[in-house]
């Protein structure tokens, strides 16, 4: 069945360092979304990518959708302590959501 | 976007009892979902709640254990029946907008003793 894998599982960085999480699907996706969940909070929608090779930026966050629409990445430039949380990708196919396992980011001040 | 509230925010229940979780949205939405999330884990979809029809359950979840109501386009309930400690988890409802974006409620933290 459809699987969405996410790596790494955990990432510890020093404040100011960059961070990247990767999402890989076993099959081609129609869209991919990214969510952030702060500790003790609920997932919050960040962005949706639809087109092959699409790149979107939100301030220090850069999101990419692969050419084959099977993988995606989220890159954070110069992390801040406010970036702490778990980042989930969600692949969408035939109107069904497939959430990745998440990458937990810890930022040391 | 959508603003979603859930009640209760947390509860401690005895095994064998049932708990009904309510989810209220500030606007009319077609698609509502119920998820379960173990601490530190990803989201597992329990079922899709559609107004005017029976909920659609994912593999491993059955209506007798997790009955769902969807009486209108702004409200849904999930009942966790005959609870056991394995049902201890965070239960989240979410809604889907026309752009396929999902917005989640704050969650209900359930502990079964």
């Amino acid at each position: 069945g459809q699987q969405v894998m996410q790596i790494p599982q955990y990432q510890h960085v020093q404040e100011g360092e960059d961070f990247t999480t990767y999402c890989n699907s076993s099959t081609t996706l129609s869209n991919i979304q990214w969510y952030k969940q702060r500790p003790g909070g609920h997932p919050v929608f960040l962005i949706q990518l639809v087109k092959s090779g699409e790149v979107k930026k939100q301030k220090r966050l850069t999101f990419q959708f692969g050419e084959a629409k099977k993988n995606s990445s989220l890159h954070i430039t110069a992390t801040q302590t406010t970036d702490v949380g778990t980042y989930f990708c969600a692949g969408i196919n035939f109107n069904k959501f497939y959430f990745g396992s998440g990458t937990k980011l810890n930022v040391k001040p | 976007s959508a603003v979603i509230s859930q009640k209760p925010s947390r509860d401690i229940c005895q095994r064998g009892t049932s708990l009904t979780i309510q989810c209220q949205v500030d606007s009319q939405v077609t698609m509502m979902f119920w998820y379960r999330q173990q601490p530190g884990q990803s989201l597992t979809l329990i079922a899709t709640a559609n107004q005017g029809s029976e909920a659609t359950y994912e593999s491993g979840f059955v209506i007798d254990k997790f009955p769902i109501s969807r009486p209108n386009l702004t409200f849904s309930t999930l009942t966790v029946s005959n609870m056991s400690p394995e049902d201890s988890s965070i239960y989240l409802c979410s809604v889907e907008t026309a752009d396929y974006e999902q917005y989640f409620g704050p969650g209900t933290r359930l502990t079964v003793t």
Side-chain angles (χ1 to χ4, degrees):
Chain A
Q2 177 94 44
Q3 282 192 342
V4 174
M5 309 299 292
Q6 207 172 333
I7 57 170
Q9 188 175 5
Y10 301 99
Q11 186 84 59
H12 301 269
V13 301
Q14 199 73 36
E15 190 172 23
E17 293 181 340
D18 292 357
F19 159 77
T20 305
T21 173
Y22 300 91
C23 188
N24 293 289
S25 170
S26 56
T27 60
T28 302
L29 302 167
S30 56
N31 309 339
I32 196 157
Q33 298 179 352
W34 286 91
Y35 293 79
K36 176 183 178 181
Q37 186 173 24
R38 294 182 186 273
H42 58 276
V44 174
F45 174 84
L46 293 177
I47 207 159
Q48 176 169 246
L49 303 170
V50 179
K51 299 176 184 175
S52 168
E54 188 170 12
V55 178
K56 286 188 176 180
K57 292 193 175 184
Q58 287 180 351
K59 298 183 181 178
R60 295 179 293 103
L61 277 61
T62 302
F63 304 85
Q64 289 189 311
F65 201 8
E67 293 289 343
K69 300 185 77 173
K70 295 178 72 173
N71 55 70
S72 180
S73 65
L74 158 59
H75 179 82
I76 302 178
T77 304
T79 55
Q80 300 174 359
T81 54
T82 53
D83 296 323
V84 165
T86 302
Y87 293 84
F88 291 99
C89 63
I92 301 164
N93 219 3
F94 297 105
N95 295 330
K96 291 201 74 170
F97 284 72
Y98 301 91
F99 278 87
S101 49
T103 296
K104 188 173 182 179
L105 172 64
N106 188 37
V107 181
K108 292 175 64 176
Chain B
S1 66
V3 178
I4 304 162
S5 60
Q6 269 184 251
K7 288 195 292 188
S9 58
R10 58 178 62 226
D11 207 341
I12 301 173
C13 302
Q14 289 193 334
R15 68 172 67 209
T17 63
S18 298
L19 175 71
T20 295
I21 303 168
Q22 299 179 5
C23 180
Q24 180 76 51
V25 190
D26 68 341
S27 58
Q28 294 186 340
V29 292
T30 303
M31 305 290 284
M32 291 182 78
F33 305 92
W34 286 98
Y35 287 86
R36 186 167 72 182
Q37 186 178 34
Q38 302 283 0
Q41 302 295 313
S42 187
L43 298 149
T44 301
L45 181 64
I46 298 171
T48 302
N50 302 311
Q51 195 268 337
S53 63
E54 283 203 0
T56 305
Y57 289 83
E58 297 299 306
S59 175
F61 298 96
V62 294
I63 188 170
D64 290 346
K65 175 67 176 178
F66 297 100
I68 287 171
S69 79
R70 182 81 198 274
N72 56 53
L73 292 174
T74 63
F75 187 78
S76 178
T77 67
L78 168 75
T79 299
V80 186
S81 304
N82 189 24
M83 287 184 284
S84 66
E86 292 71 36
D87 294 320
S88 297
S89 189
I90 298 169
Y91 292 84
L92 296 142
C93 69
S94 75
V95 303
E96 183 181 294
T97 68
D99 295 328
Y100 302 108
E101 300 169 8
Q102 282 204 40
Y103 292 89
F104 288 84
T108 296
R109 184 179 293 269
L110 171 62
T111 303
V112 184
T113 60

